[in-house]
Every structure is written in structure tokens, then in C-alpha cells.
Amino acid sequence: MTSGLPEMRASDAERERVAEVLRDAVAEGRLDMEEFDQRLDAVYKARTHGELEPLVRDLPAPGTGGPVAPDAAFAPSSGARVSWRDRIGGPATSRGAFAFWGGFGRKGTWTVGRRFTAFAMMGGGEIDLREARFEERDTVIRCFAIMGGLAVTVPPGLDVNVKGFGFMGGFGDLAEKSSQPPEPVAPDSPRVTVTGFALMGGVGVERKITRAEKQRLKEARKQEKLARKAETDRKELD
């Protein structure tokens, strides 16, 4: 395990990825339901990587015969977020956006230029980086809002620095809508700087997961509850 990893705070997504390893193990007969329940309870109570790693130390990585590598236990699975390395490089599909008495949106799968300029006057715009690619690792997003608003949405793990200011308006610091501690910045993450100004308007920067990821986590929790209920019913019958 890399130095300092045991004390690093674990995110909801990382707990779910460890839970996925446990689900695979019980499906393959490597864990019985009692062991599964005990470890799963420990997963959702865990606060650091050091508390999560022992729960899968003796289990193989899904689809392999080898043990789960410490770092791999917290890496996104094929159904989760894509590796940052896979999202850096390639020609930009957009280098700017403009709204005047209207609006614009940059979201979904798109490639943001290394310098991206957004302007909104008496209008609004949305810049969603949760599924975006990046032309280069260092990206500067310049936001200018005059009697309008701009919303920048970034995913967990992305390295973001907010430097803008507001005059008779607001230029919001990075906000995270979660009851859990913020997910640590990924070491291979792009570096994004959001700068500019807001005049009688606002620029907001918010960190949150995608709707698809939120639904996946919700479904995973639902399946865990069903599994626990089935095991409880089985014990009562015994």
C-alpha cells in the first residue's frame, strides 16, 4: 500500500466499489452470507482507506484469480467513472460559449479546450465537466456573467481551483452537496482553474456525481437491503 493511503478519507463511491468486490465474492461462494453481512456493515461504517482495505485483502479482484491490489480496490470499476488518463488529450470540441438574453449548455461527452471562455449577459449558461474530456491536463475556464448566471458542475476527484470575484454579484467557491467528507483529488486528475468575474450576476461552482452514478449507488443500496432481508428471513425459518 502506498504511503499515507490508510489515513486517506474514503468516499461514498469508494465504499460502493469495495461493496461490489464483496458482492462478487459471495456470488462466487468465497464468502457466506454471515461474513458478507459483517464485512458490508464494516464497509458502510468505514471512514478511511485503511479501514476498507482489510475487508478485501483476502479476496481476488473480480474476474481474476489474483488478490485485489490495495489501490485497485478504490479504483473506478468499468461501470463507474472512467480513468482520468483516458479523458485527457484530443482536439477540443468547444473553446467558448455565449449567451445574451438566452442560454447555452455544454454537458455530456465533450472535449473542453485548454482555454475556455464563457460569457452570459442577461442570460445563463451551464458548463458540466462530469463526463467531459480535456484537451490538455491544465485547463482554464474563464467565466464572465453580467446580469446573468453561469453554473459550473465538476465531478468528485477533479482538481479544481476557483479564483474569480463578484461585484454586486457572486462568484461562488467550490460547493459540495454531500454529508460525507470531500473525495480526495485523484493524482492523475486534470487541473482546472475557474476564473473571471460576475457583475450584478453570479457564477457558481458545484461538485456532484452524475445522475447515472447516483442511480447506480441507489440501486446498489437497494440490492444490499434485499440481500439482508432475504438472509434474515432465512435465519428465522431455520
Side-chain angles (χ1 to χ4, degrees), residues 81-82 84 87 127-132 134 152-160 174-176 183-186 189-190 192 205-210:
R81 295 189 296 273
V82 178
W84 285 118
R87 293 172 60 170
I127 304 168
D128 192 335
L129 303 180
R130 289 176 293 177
E131 297 178 13
F134 299 84
V152 182
T153 306
V154 302
L158 182 65
D159 187 357
V160 181
L174 193 64
E176 180 132 18
E183 181 172 328
V185 170
S189 164
V192 177
V205 183
E206 180 178 72
R207 191 188 297 276
K208 60 183 179 179
I209 61 176
T210 63

Side-chain angles (χ1 to χ4, degrees), residues 114-129:
R114 65 184 184 87
R115 296 291 183 272
F116 183 92
T117 302
F119 179 85
M121 182 172 183
M122 291 184 285
E126 179 182 4
I127 304 168
D128 192 335
L129 303 180

